[in-house]
Amino acid sequence: MNDKVLRKKGKPLSIDEKWMVIQVYQKCNEERDQTPYVATEDAHSRTANYTGVGRRQVVEIIRHFKDTGCVVPSSSAGNRIVHYTNIPSIAEEQIRQFIFERHLAGEVCNANHIQDLLKEMLKREIPSRTIQNHLDRMGFSYARTRKKVRSLREKLYVRQQRHSYLHNIQSLRNLGYSPVYLDESFLHHYHGHQFSWFSETIGDYLERPAGKGRRWCFIHAMLQTGLTANTCYIFEAKKSTGDYHDMFNAPHFQEWWINQLMPNLSEKSVIIMDRATFHLVPEEQIIPTAMRKSELQNWLTQKQVLWEEYWLKPQLIEQVNASIDKTPIVQKIAEQKNHKVLLLPVHHPELNPIETLWAIVKNECGKLLRQGTQFKQVREHLETAFNHITPETCHGLYDKVQRKEEEYWLTDVELDSLDEDIV
């Protein structure tokens, strides 16, 4: 035997391997009692050497066995690791509604009220600083009320952006445009359903490896009558960590837009998408702050934009910024096909029904996770889950979003009227 470790480091122990660790430890203890002339005092270290398992893990397994008579239970499958100081995205809609209700009632609302709300919802306490940071990301800040007391209020640009979106989408519906929602997401190799574990009485165990594994990125679009035909695009991410938006880029998205989305849309469609950077890339991509003064002058001259010789670089940059055509390339392509493009308001994923569809698809894939599931099989599960989406499901999601749109419209009008009296 050499010193080479036979077992791969980082690989999680199966139930059988944990029992083997216990049996080796017991054998080492017996040798210590029977052969006192052999250096067998540290049974934990000898067990670690014989099994290739770290000594610390051996100690944990033996301690748990002595306390309970069982091996250490397996980790939950999939990416269900909960960071108890984080606020799940599913709670954002309730937070926003809670703040609106207190605003309309003329009651003060602060981070302590949100902390109590989350404690009741999540059955755990979220730190106040975490809540404050999350509220800022949601578009809320503190402002004076009629009682001259600081209270949480939605930033005005967020409310106006939402209200303008609601007006535009309803106007386009009235003109006969069919809404088409699109979005991107991802699925990890070891994404498991919330209840992806098996009873010990059956003897079937699902061991979750360290980490979430590789991941499939995908993009799709949906109509009220179902998923759009031939618009599902799935590819493997180049890396398994970080924001999944990093896996997409403008050329990637534009290629999908031209080759898969445009040919499969009906006449008069309004395409609704979020404000991801790669969605909004304009035709002319220049960075004025990175240009030399002479380059700025030449650009303005070519565009037939007036400028003065005495202008310094800051004013030239300002003039270039004001003159750049920032219309996204994909929007121009859509308008050539008589379609419209509408951007979702910031911080409002609940207005995109495909967000809920992702949860349905991922849950179905999670239920299919089994010990030994290959990465390529996960893609097959993903395609199968998309095929199982019914028109009734999409219709129900559309109805839910339209009800939410009506609620927001009425709330915006009422809040605007209420805030008008505040000086």
Side-chain angles (χ1 to χ4, degrees):
M1 293 292 291
N2 54 29
D3 295 333
K4 183 179 179 181
V5 178
L6 300 180
R7 195 176 188 285
K8 184 178 179 181
K9 291 185 178 180
K11 183 179 179 181
L13 294 175
S14 67
I15 297 296
D16 290 338
E17 288 173 328
K18 292 172 184 176
W19 279 115
M20 185 64 69
V21 168
I22 294 172
Q23 292 171 3
V24 171
Y25 175 81
Q26 291 175 338
K27 185 63 176 178
C28 289
N29 269 338
E30 292 176 3
E31 290 182 353
R32 180 180 59 190
D33 297 335
Q34 297 173 2
T35 56
Y37 54 87
V38 179
T40 57
E41 292 82 1
D42 189 354
H44 292 104
S45 295
R46 294 187 67 211
T47 302
N49 291 333
Y50 291 153
T51 61
V53 178
R55 187 181 186 282
R56 179 178 297 180
Q57 192 170 9
V58 170
V59 172
E60 292 176 357
I61 293 172
I62 300 304
R63 182 188 297 120
H64 191 276
F65 175 75
K66 289 180 177 179
D67 293 341
T68 65
C70 300
V71 297
V72 179
S74 303
S75 303
S76 299
N79 54 349
R80 293 286 175 172
I81 299 175
V82 178
H83 299 283
Y84 288 97
T85 59
N86 288 348
I87 300 174
S89 58
I90 195 172
E92 291 184 357
E93 186 176 346
Q94 286 84 347
I95 292 173
R96 182 177 287 109
Q97 188 64 36
F98 179 80
I99 296 174
F100 287 168
E101 289 174 355
R102 292 189 71 91
H103 190 171
L104 292 171
E107 299 175 351
V108 173
C109 184
N110 54 41
N112 292 333
H113 295 101
I114 305 302
Q115 189 176 45
D116 293 339
L117 172 69
L118 293 174
K119 187 174 182 179
E120 182 179 351
M121 290 174 53
L122 307 176
K123 307 305 179 186
R124 51 188 168 89
E125 188 164 333
I126 306 294
S128 180
R129 176 56 64 183
T130 299
I131 293 173
Q132 293 174 12
N133 293 337
H134 198 87
L135 289 170
D136 181 66
R137 290 193 294 271
M138 288 179 62
F140 288 95
S141 62
Y142 283 98
R144 298 289 180 183
T145 66
R146 283 176 294 180
K147 299 178 181 179
K148 307 301 181 183
V149 179
R150 293 174 72 250
S151 180
L152 282 169
R153 294 289 185 263
E154 190 174 41
K155 296 176 183 178
L156 295 180
Y157 85 90
V158 177
R159 186 194 302 172
Q160 182 59 63
Q161 194 176 96
R162 177 177 62 238
H163 205 66
S164 297
Y165 167 81
L166 297 175
H167 169 77
N168 291 335
I169 190 172
Q170 188 56 49
S171 299
L172 290 169
R173 285 194 184 109
N174 294 337
L175 292 173
Y177 283 87
S178 301
V180 179
Y181 294 88
L182 66 86
D183 194 25
E184 305 85 13
S185 191
F186 67 93
L187 181 69
H188 280 288
H189 183 177
Y190 301 115
H191 177 88
H193 186 257
Q194 185 175 1
F195 304 105
S196 292
W197 57 275
F198 302 93
S199 171
E200 294 184 7
T201 58
I202 300 177
D204 188 7
Y205 304 98
L206 182 57
E207 289 282 348
R208 180 183 182 275
K212 302 174 184 178
R214 297 147 67 188
R215 56 181 171 178
W216 293 107
C217 289
F218 54 89
I219 182 172
H220 215 326
M222 68 175 287
L223 297 159
Q224 186 174 6
T225 55
L227 292 171
T228 51
N230 304 317
T231 58
C232 180
Y233 176 42
I234 306 173
F235 64 94
E236 182 182 354
K238 294 181 180 178
K239 57 182 181 178
S240 59
T241 58
D243 187 352
Y244 73 91
H245 282 105
D246 294 339
M247 302 299 103
F248 295 87
N249 55 42
H252 226 159
F253 179 71
Q254 291 164 14
E255 181 181 0
W256 172 84
W257 184 279
I258 295 170
N259 297 330
Q260 291 186 247
L261 182 63
M262 290 293 104
N264 292 289
L265 293 182
S266 59
E267 295 183 0
K268 295 187 70 173
S269 294
V270 51
I271 306 161
I272 302 167
M273 60 184 182
D274 61 30
R275 298 168 183 262
T277 304
F278 58 88
H279 289 169
L280 308 179
V281 174
E283 188 170 5
E284 188 172 16
Q285 302 176 41
I286 63 171
I287 305 176
T289 55
M291 298 170 65
R292 300 178 66 87
K293 184 176 179 178
S294 59
E295 293 173 336
L296 294 169
Q297 294 170 337
N298 291 336
W299 188 93
L300 291 171
T301 300
Q302 292 174 4
K303 299 296 181 180
Q304 299 182 349
V305 178
L306 296 178
W307 58 277
E308 301 292 342
E309 287 287 348
Y310 71 89
W311 283 2
L312 299 178
K313 187 174 181 180
Q315 191 165 357
L316 290 169
I317 291 174
E318 183 179 347
Q319 185 76 328
V320 170
N321 275 325
S323 305
I324 294 176
D325 182 5
K326 299 180 181 178
T327 305
I329 297 176
V330 293
Q331 181 175 336
K332 291 184 176 181
I333 295 172
E335 290 174 349
Q336 292 172 1
K337 304 287 186 180
N338 296 321
H339 301 308
K340 299 290 186 181
V341 172
L342 194 57
L343 299 179
L344 286 161
V346 294
H347 315 305
H348 286 76
E350 67 271 21
L351 294 179
N352 190 348
I354 205 169
E355 295 280 359
T356 306
L357 199 66
W358 293 159
I360 296 173
V361 168
K362 291 182 181 181
N363 279 341
E364 182 167 346
C365 291
K367 293 177 183 178
L368 299 175
L369 181 66
R370 293 292 184 271
Q371 187 72 28
T373 298
Q374 300 297 315
F375 183 57
K376 63 180 181 180
Q377 292 178 295
V378 175
R379 175 174 181 143
E380 296 172 1
H381 295 166
L382 187 58
E383 293 172 345
T384 300
F386 279 129
N387 291 332
H388 287 171
I389 298 297
T390 64
E392 291 76 16
T393 298
C394 294
H395 195 281
L397 295 178
Y398 259 73
D399 289 344
K400 180 180 178 180
V401 166
Q402 285 194 266
R403 289 194 298 269
K404 178 55 67 175
E405 291 173 358
E406 294 169 1
E407 291 175 13
Y408 277 141
W409 180 268
L410 296 175
T411 300
D412 288 344
V413 173
E414 194 170 357
L415 289 174
D416 191 62
S417 178
L418 182 65
D419 290 345
E420 191 174 2
D421 300 330
I422 300 176
V423 179

